[in-house]
Amino acid sequence: MTTDHRTQDHYVPDPDADTAAVVDGVLAHLTAVTRERGLPDDLPAAVRERHERLVAANRHLVVDEPARHNLRMTLVLVAAWELLRPHLGDDEALGVVRAAFVEPLAPVVREAVRAALDAEPDPYRAMVALARDRETTSFGVGFTFRHPVDDDRRFHADVHRCFYYDVLVANAAPELAPVLCEFDRNWIDAIDPDRHGFRFDRATTIGTGGTHCPFHFSRVTPDRA
């Protein structure tokens, strides 16, 4: 998951800003939902307070710097879920949580990824380089990656341990995992195989019941370099 921070037209990760954008987007969405549905006015503030308490209670799960940011993003879902369920019921609360997490940043993520790929002479290599880098800078040791295929036509990064899922399980909320998986659609949908020369496939995820999360990038045209 990324927002758009660039230097000389290249993505530069900013974990603090990215995390704040996600958390603030969730809370802003909940504020709008509170008004639309006549929920208690103090609900967004209560979610923010619950979020901070959950972060403090789960600090023992932080295994490195990326985990610190990933913990905050994951637990804002848990806080919203816990406080919305008594008012909306499970199904409706889950829908609100999904929308709050996925939708606020969707346009900027899609546009940023598409613009970055459009600007590259070889979009496949650029995307693979970013994916490799983010394994350490954005995900860290809380995730386990394996690379059964890695060449100049295919890059398969299979996630066999997901920190997001581990945090949700530790907080009795594994049903929220598909929401985190769905956020990836924002950048996945920016990839146009005809335009960028490669496709992305992810048939399943740990969060939706799979044994692992296959992030598979494959060229569909000859090497453009």
Side-chain angles (χ1 to χ4, degrees):
M1 292 178 286
T2 66
T3 51
D4 190 23
H5 307 283
R6 293 171 184 278
T7 298
Q8 298 178 343
D9 295 328
H10 293 287
Y11 172 76
V12 178
D14 187 337
D16 284 320
D18 287 355
T19 303
V22 171
V23 172
D24 291 346
V26 169
L27 293 171
H29 188 92
L30 291 180
T31 297
V33 169
T34 295
R35 293 170 182 159
E36 291 168 1
R37 306 196 182 198
L39 299 175
D41 291 341
D42 62 351
L43 183 62
V47 171
R48 184 181 291 276
E49 181 182 351
R50 177 59 177 155
H51 177 227
E52 293 303 325
R53 282 191 277 120
L54 283 169
V55 169
N58 284 272
R59 283 202 180 109
H60 64 284
L61 298 177
V62 174
V63 291
D64 59 5
E65 184 63 10
R68 182 171 68 87
H69 301 291
N70 292 329
L71 182 77
R72 292 190 65 82
M73 286 192 292
T74 307
L75 289 177
V76 75
L77 294 181
V78 178
W81 170 242
E82 288 182 355
L83 295 183
L84 284 169
R85 290 171 73 191
H87 298 285
L88 301 177
D90 287 3
D91 290 345
E92 193 171 356
L94 186 59
V96 170
V97 169
R98 187 211 65 80
F101 191 71
V102 174
E103 294 177 6
L105 293 179
V108 69
V109 171
R110 276 196 297 268
E111 290 166 14
V113 172
R114 177 156 293 188
L117 293 175
D118 286 349
E120 292 289 344
D122 188 338
Y124 169 82
R125 285 185 181 174
M127 179 60 85
V128 168
L130 178 59
R132 289 184 196 279
D133 181 68
R134 295 192 72 236
E135 287 183 15
T136 53
T137 60
S138 298
F139 299 112
V141 300
F143 292 76
T144 299
F145 289 88
R146 299 177 189 168
H147 304 98
V149 179
D150 183 0
D151 56 38
D152 200 49
R153 294 202 60 81
R154 294 178 300 160
F155 177 67
H156 292 184
D158 292 346
V159 179
H160 286 264
R161 179 191 173 196
C162 174
F163 179 79
Y164 301 130
Y165 187 74
D166 291 346
V167 171
L168 292 174
V169 170
N171 287 272
E175 59 268 54
L176 297 179
V179 175
L180 284 150
C181 303
E182 189 173 348
F183 188 95
D184 288 334
R185 294 284 356 151
N186 294 335
W187 63 262
I188 293 168
D189 289 345
I191 299 169
D192 183 338
D194 292 333
R195 182 173 182 164
H196 300 129
F198 74 95
R199 72 175 188 272
F200 174 82
D201 300 295
R202 187 183 66 179
T204 187
T205 65
I206 294 169
T208 57
T211 58
H212 64 289
C213 310
F215 286 74
H216 292 180
F217 302 87
S218 305
R219 287 191 189 274
V220 296
T221 60
D223 190 340
R224 295 167 55 163

